Amino acid sequence: MSFTLSHNAFSCLRAQTNLSGQFTHILRDESNGARAKAMLQTEVYLDQVNVVIRMGSTLNSLTLPANSLATARKLAGHLEAIANGKLDTADMPPIEQVLADAA
């Protein structure tokens, strides 16, 4: 599956990086019509936005600069990674490196 956020949803997401509130986004897989629902809780304080993402049984949070195109892109990528089951592998170094750093 390949869940993606639509262009309209991305535009809304960009605006939401400067708002405090609760928002729902639907990611779609165009090949088979499957959908994934994401609930975002945003809180803007000074120049940062804290985002809590609930999708399925997962709960993730990010703190990013508020009202930025780069923030919207990072958040959209994060949503798509969660929906496609790739979040854990996207940002984590190989386990061997983690163990070597711990030693």
Side-chain angles (χ1 to χ4, degrees):
M1 286 197 194
S2 181
F3 290 101
T4 59
L5 202 59
S6 72
H7 293 293
N8 289 340
F10 178 78
S11 296
C12 291
L13 183 65
R14 182 159 194 269
Q16 292 161 358
T17 63
N18 197 39
L19 300 170
S20 293
Q22 186 170 355
F23 309 99
T24 302
H25 287 278
I26 304 296
L27 293 91
R28 291 183 173 86
D29 183 345
E30 295 299 325
S31 65
N32 63 11
R35 297 177 182 194
K37 180 180 176 181
M39 300 290 295
L40 278 65
Q41 179 71 42
T42 61
E43 185 165 336
V44 177
Y45 181 73
L46 298 177
D47 61 347
Q48 293 190 327
V49 60
N50 182 42
V51 182
V52 176
I53 303 167
R54 298 179 203 290
M55 189 180 304
S57 62
T58 66
L59 179 68
N60 296 273
S61 66
L62 295 165
T63 300
L64 301 165
N67 199 25
S68 154
L69 179 59
T71 293
R73 286 182 178 150
K74 176 143 179 98
L75 191 51
H78 207 72
L79 287 170
E80 290 174 355
I82 294 168
N84 291 306
K86 297 180 181 178
L87 182 65
D88 293 338
T89 59
D91 296 329
M92 293 293 293
I95 191 66
E96 295 82 14
Q97 182 63 42
V98 173
L99 294 174
D101 291 344

